[in-house]
Amino acid sequence: MKALRYHAPGDVRIEEVPEPTCGPAEIKIRVRNCSTCGTDVKIRANGHVNITRVTTMGHEIAGRSSRSATGWRGSSRWVTGCR
């Protein structure tokens, strides 16, 4: 799958990454849309004191649940973000 990866200030790349697996009591969401917020834009330009390694950016997503660690399969709609 593709992900937006932060490497350093001004160095953000779309890269191929392994698809994650579900941990206990987690649900995997098939992402349909993902956005960056104003903080992501600032981090891209200036970096962040707490980000010292390559990391995936974007936390505001919308999609459908695709599976869970317990085997539950549904098609519930999900939206995530900070608020």
Side-chain angles (χ1 to χ4, degrees):
M1 68 179 225
K2 296 195 184 299
L4 182 65
R5 306 280 286 165
Y6 170 87
H7 288 264
D11 185 6
V12 176
R13 309 172 200 167
I14 296 175
E15 298 178 333
E16 197 67 36
V17 297
E19 189 169 328
T21 57
C22 288
E26 292 182 337
I27 294 173
K28 187 190 291 189
I29 300 173
R30 180 167 306 281
V31 176
R32 298 289 186 175
N33 298 346
C34 182
S35 297
T36 55
C37 68
T39 300
D40 293 328
V41 173
K42 291 175 186 173
I43 290 170
R44 180 204 167 274
N46 305 311
H48 192 284
V49 67
N50 293 330
I51 300 177
T52 58
R53 60 182 174 84
V54 176
T55 190
T56 300
M57 298 183 79
H59 60 270
E60 297 176 353
I61 65 171
R64 289 186 173 270
S65 54
S66 61
R67 71 177 56 220
S68 74
T70 59
W72 175 83
R73 291 178 182 259
S75 61
S76 301
R77 294 179 185 170
W78 291 83
V79 176
T80 68
C82 288
R83 295 175 193 218

